[in-house]
C-alpha cells in the first residue's frame, strides 16, 4: 500500500506545513470508518477505559485489553498510522518492562506506541526506540498522573509550569520521539513548543497553534455523557442509533420484520 501513512510521512507533514489529523478508535468497524474519512493517525487510546469500558479514569485498563483492541484496529488494515497507547504501569517500571510492552504492541499491529511523561521518561523512550518501535510522546496534562496533578486542568499558566512543559517536550524529542501530544497546555506555550520542535506537535485542548489535532472518537460522535469542554461534537449518533433500534422493535412488534 504505497499510500500508507508512515512515521516518515508524519514527519514530512510538519516540514510541508500540512495539518495532521489524529482520532481514537478501538475496534475494527470504527477503525474502517475513521480511515475512510481520511485521518492520518488512529490512536488506540487508553481513553477506551472511560469511553468504552465505563471506568472513572484511565488507570484501570490493562495491557492485555489494550493489545486486544490494538489488534482489532489493525484488522481493519487502515491507511492511517496505528498508534497503540501504553497503559498505566506498562512502561514506568523500567526499560525492560517498557520494551516488552512496546514489543507486544508491535506484535499486535501497532506501528508506533504513545507514552505519557517528560524528562523522567527519557531512558524509557530511548530503550523502546532502540528496540525499533517508534514512540509518540505525551506531555502537559498527563491523565495517567491525574492523582498527582490534582485533577484534569490546564498546564502552563504559571511560568514555572510553562518552563517545565517546554523542558519535557524538548527532552522527549531528544530521546527520539517522532511526534508529541500536548494535552491541556496553555495555547501560548503550545505555540512556543511547536515553533521550537522539528517534530510535529499534536494537540488536544491546547489551542490552534499546533501541527495537528486529536480528539476522542466518542466525543466527536456525541457518545460521551460528560465530554471535556474543548471537545467538539460533530454528530448526535445516539439519536440515530436509538431511532434505528426503535424502528426494528416496532417492526418486530407489528409482525413486519422478518418478512415472508
Ligand atoms: O487515550 C487517549 O485518547 C489519548 C488522547 C486524549 C490523546 O491519550
Amino acid at each position: 500500500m504505497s499510500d500508507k501513512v508512515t512515521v516518515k510521512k508524519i514527519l514530512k507533514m510538519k516540514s510541508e506545513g500540512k495539518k495532521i489529523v489524529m482520532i481514537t478508535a478501538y475496534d475494527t468497524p470504527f477503525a474502517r470508518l475513521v480511515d475512510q474519512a481520511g485521518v492520518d493517525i488512529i490512536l488506540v487510546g487508553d481513553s477506551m477505559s472511560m469511553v468504552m469500558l465505563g471506568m472513572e479514569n484511565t488507570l484501570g485498563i490493562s495491557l492485555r485489553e489494550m493489545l486486544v483492541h490494538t489488534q482489532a484496529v489493525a484488522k481493519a488494515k487502515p491507511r492511517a498510522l496505528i498508534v497503540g497507547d501504553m497503559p498505566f504501569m506498562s512502561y514506568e517500571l523500567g526499560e525492560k518492562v517498557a520494551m516488552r510492552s512496546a514489543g507486544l504492541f508491535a506484535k499486535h499491529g501497532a506501528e508506533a506506541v504513545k507514552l505519557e511523561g517528560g524528562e523522567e521518561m527519557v531512558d524509557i523512550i530511548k530503550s523502546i526506540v532502540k528496540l525499533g518501535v517508534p514512540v509518540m510522546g505525551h506531555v502537559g496534562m498527563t491523565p495517567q498522573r491525574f492523582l498527582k496533578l490534582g485533577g484534569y486542568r490546564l498546564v502552563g499558566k504559571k511560568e514555572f509550569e510553562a518552563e517545565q512543559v517546554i523542558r519535557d517536550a524538548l527532552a522527549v524529542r531528544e530521546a527520539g520521539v517522532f511526534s508529541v501530544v500536548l494535552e491541556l497546555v496553555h495555547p501560548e506555550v503550545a505555540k512556543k513548543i511547536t515553533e521550537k520542535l522539528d517534530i510535529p506537535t499534536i494537540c488536544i485542548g491546547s489551542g490552534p497553534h499546533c501541527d495537528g489535532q486529536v480528539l476522542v472518537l466518542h466525543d466527536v460522535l456525541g457518545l460521551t455523557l460528560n465530554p471535556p469542554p474543548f471537545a467538539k461534537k460533530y454528530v448526535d449518533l445516539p439519536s440515530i442509533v436509538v431511532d434505528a433500534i426503535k424502528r426494528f422493535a416496532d417492526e418486530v412488534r407489528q409482525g413486519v420484520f422478518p418478512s415472508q
Side-chain angles (χ1 to χ4, degrees):
M1 214 190 311
S2 59
D3 202 21
K4 175 73 189 162
V5 180
T6 58
V7 163
K8 210 169 147 192
K9 283 192 184 167
I10 294 297
L11 285 163
K12 199 163 161 233
M13 286 177 79
K14 169 139 184 161
S15 58
E16 290 173 345
K18 289 186 183 153
K19 289 277 186 186
I20 297 164
V21 180
M22 179 160 99
I23 196 159
T24 64
Y26 317 99
D27 58 25
T28 315
F30 274 106
R32 275 195 204 115
L33 293 177
V34 301
D35 200 50
Q36 262 179 41
V39 302
D40 303 301
I41 305 177
I42 299 176
L43 172 68
V44 189
D46 66 352
S47 51
M48 177 170 68
S49 53
M50 299 168 79
V51 300
M52 295 270 291
L53 305 178
M55 296 180 187
E56 293 288 318
N57 55 59
T58 58
L59 302 188
I61 198 154
S62 67
L63 177 60
R64 183 76 213 128
E65 287 162 317
M66 291 303 301
L67 294 176
V68 167
H69 286 266
T70 299
Q71 191 167 49
V73 167
K75 293 278 184 206
K77 296 195 181 3
R79 173 190 161 275
L81 184 78
I82 304 169
V83 178
D85 204 4
M86 299 185 78
F88 183 57
M89 296 291 281
S90 72
Y91 56 96
E92 305 90 326
L93 298 181
E95 292 163 36
K96 277 199 179 145
V97 178
M99 286 163 80
R100 182 178 178 276
S101 303
L104 285 171
F105 268 103
K107 278 177 181 287
H108 286 75
E111 294 155 333
V113 293
K114 176 171 83 59
L115 60 83
E116 297 182 10
E119 287 181 315
E120 74 285 10
M121 287 299 152
V122 161
D123 290 338
I124 300 280
I125 292 168
K126 280 185 181 167
S127 69
I128 299 173
V129 173
K130 214 181 325 169
L131 181 68
V133 180
V135 180
M136 177 182 279
H138 184 156
V139 302
M141 208 295 291
T142 45
Q144 291 174 11
R145 315 270 142 64
F146 83 97
L147 292 171
K148 185 178 157 203
L149 289 168
Y152 305 102
R153 59 173 183 83
L154 191 74
V155 176
K157 254 197 205 163
K158 296 186 183 126
E159 204 173 319
F160 78 91
E161 259 187 8
E163 282 167 5
Q164 182 61 55
V165 75
I166 292 171
R167 274 202 302 274
D168 284 337
L170 293 176
V172 297
R173 164 51 189 126
E174 266 319 294
V177 302
F178 71 95
S179 61
V180 60
V181 169
L182 306 180
E183 180 160 359
L184 277 174
V185 172
H186 190 285
E188 282 311 310
V189 181
K191 183 170 185 259
K192 230 183 232 176
I193 294 172
T194 303
E195 286 164 358
K196 275 182 187 284
L197 291 183
D198 59 347
I199 55 161
T201 56
I202 302 181
C203 290
I204 178 158
S206 304
H209 312 293
C210 304
D211 300 304
Q213 295 289 331
V214 52
L215 280 178
V216 168
L217 177 65
H218 289 52
D219 294 339
V220 171
L221 301 181
L223 291 167
T224 319
L225 293 183
N226 296 304
F230 55 77
K232 183 167 176 185
K233 177 165 104 176
Y234 284 84
V235 66
D236 186 36
L237 193 58
S239 62
I240 296 171
V241 173
V242 170
D243 181 57
I245 308 302
K246 270 188 179 166
R247 286 194 286 120
F248 165 58
D250 284 349
E251 289 196 0
V252 170
R253 288 175 188 134
Q254 289 162 16
V256 174
F257 178 86
S259 66
Q260 284 304 324

